[in-house]
Amino acid sequence: MNKRKRRKKINFLNIIIGLVFIVLIFNKFFPVLKTVLKVGEVSLEKKNSISYINRNDKKGVVEVLNDYIVKIENNTISLFDSEGNDLWQRKLNVQTAVVRQAIDKIIIADCERGEIIYLDYKGNILGNIQINKKIFNLKLNREGYQLITTEENEIYVINNKGEIISNINVPKGEIIDGHLSNDHNMIVLTILNVEENNFYSNVLFYSLEGKIISGKKFSDRIILNLFFDDKAEVLGLGDGEIFKINSEGKLLWTKNIENTLNLGKISNKGSIVLSLIKKRNPIIDTKNRSVISKMSSDGNILFTTSVVGDIISIDIKKKNIAAATKRTIYLIDDKGNLILEKKINKDIKNICWISDKFLAVIFKERIEVMKVDY
């Protein structure tokens, strides 16, 4: 009996030692096993659905803000949280609108009537201001100052109290994009000029009083987007190039883009995410036709990732990038690894991060809020 008991104890100890050994080996090689077994891979789970009138007919407006979704239709504004839950609704006589988010309020531009309306996050109207001109675009800086571009080639600067502090008329060319610096001391505009035999873009810096501080001409090029960084320097995206320029009009650096620029977004930390279309053999190499590239604020390429299909939308939140083709969603991490490829059985119009865990996928007549499980 003693020998049997001793043998059982030895067998029990061997089992314990064996289990400990297996756990240690599993922990050491877990990344490899995780890949092989697909344990803990990223997934998307539908959490909610928000319907709205066909956006293509301009009868409804839906905008994704940080942590919120705003929907405007049938003279009603609705606010939803990051998971797609309805927070409140209220009547508001606005049809075609641009919606932006400041720290303490929601800003709505009624583009047809030229009215700016301010609401708090409980749906209370804080005030309004009349421009009385059709609004082309509305941009905000970090402090909530607003840069309004009208269809008559004018710009208005409105402070975070809702007061007009500047009105500038641009006499020549068409305003393509513009921004207000974070210290709200300067405005930068990209203006396209078309003449009989050529075209060119002017990147112009203005003071709030409407005086031109500096500028630079880009011949035979269209500058599509401008972004102020924390140093009051401007990143510019153009046809075939990316550049940085300072308020003195000095070109700090420029990089040619080998592929065709499709889309561009800038993160809160100043890095740029680009969607590019390969120029070489687009018919032969259809599988890797599109490239997602991330660039630092000083122009260094951090990574490039090839994806299948034509990218129609990209967005960046913290470190992760979301991209979409007509029928596929891609998620890419901060090292350029493709961590999710999800097929969708209906046409995607747009995708936006609501928060770092919730993604809004916008279809023709509804938004689906999806949770990202990392």
Side-chain angles (χ1 to χ4, degrees), residues 78-248:
S78 305
L79 188 72
F80 302 83
D81 66 15
S82 61
E83 298 186 32
N85 300 309
D86 193 348
L87 298 177
W88 50 257
Q89 296 180 353
R90 70 159 298 140
K91 289 292 182 180
L92 191 70
N93 186 21
V94 173
Q95 287 293 330
T96 57
V98 176
V99 182
R100 297 288 184 262
Q101 177 185 26
I103 296 172
D104 57 347
K105 55 184 166 285
I106 299 168
I107 303 174
I108 300 172
D110 188 325
C111 298
E112 291 296 320
R113 294 189 300 165
E115 182 182 13
I116 312 296
I117 304 168
Y118 305 98
L119 292 88
D120 65 19
Y121 286 95
K122 295 181 180 179
N124 301 308
I125 294 179
L126 302 174
N128 70 313
I129 188 168
Q130 290 287 152
I131 301 296
N132 294 321
K133 295 176 182 178
K134 288 187 177 181
I135 295 171
F136 173 68
N137 207 348
L138 165 63
K139 296 287 185 72
L140 299 184
N141 74 354
R142 190 164 51 200
E143 300 300 321
Y145 278 61
Q146 303 129 59
L147 180 67
I148 307 293
T149 307
T150 74
E151 291 188 359
E152 297 179 13
N153 239 31
E154 284 182 282
I155 57 174
Y156 288 82
V157 177
I158 302 174
N159 65 18
N160 53 13
K161 297 179 181 179
E163 302 165 337
I164 295 176
I165 59 174
S166 183
N167 175 211
I168 303 168
N169 182 46
V170 179
K172 184 180 179 182
E174 180 182 352
I175 299 172
I176 303 298
D177 194 21
H179 270 276
L180 181 65
S181 64
N182 284 325
D183 60 7
H184 28 267
N185 286 329
M186 284 185 298
I187 301 161
V188 64
L189 302 175
T190 169
I191 301 170
L192 177 64
N193 293 271
V194 180
E195 298 179 350
E196 289 184 2
N197 299 317
N198 69 331
F199 65 92
Y200 60 91
S201 293
N202 278 327
V203 174
L204 300 177
F205 289 86
Y206 282 83
S207 68
L208 292 188
E209 294 74 33
K211 180 181 178 181
I212 294 179
I213 300 172
S214 66
K216 186 168 181 62
K217 181 178 179 180
F218 293 82
S219 299
D220 300 321
R221 283 173 283 182
I222 300 175
I223 308 303
L224 301 170
N225 297 111
L226 301 172
F227 307 97
F228 264 112
D229 66 10
D230 288 336
K231 298 178 182 178
E233 297 170 345
V234 170
L235 285 163
L237 302 184
D239 184 18
E241 69 178 331
I242 301 175
F243 61 90
K244 179 172 269 193
I245 188 172
N246 65 16
S247 59
E248 298 174 355

Side-chain angles (χ1 to χ4, degrees), residues 227-272:
F227 307 97
F228 264 112
D229 66 10
D230 288 336
K231 298 178 182 178
E233 297 170 345
V234 170
L235 285 163
L237 302 184
D239 184 18
E241 69 178 331
I242 301 175
F243 61 90
K244 179 172 269 193
I245 188 172
N246 65 16
S247 59
E248 298 174 355
K250 180 181 178 182
L251 200 62
L252 302 178
W253 55 260
T254 183
K255 284 187 178 293
N256 293 326
I257 303 174
E258 180 180 351
N259 301 308
T260 302
L261 176 62
N262 179 31
L263 298 167
K265 285 287 183 74
I266 189 167
S267 71
N268 291 333
K269 294 184 178 180
S271 58
I272 312 167

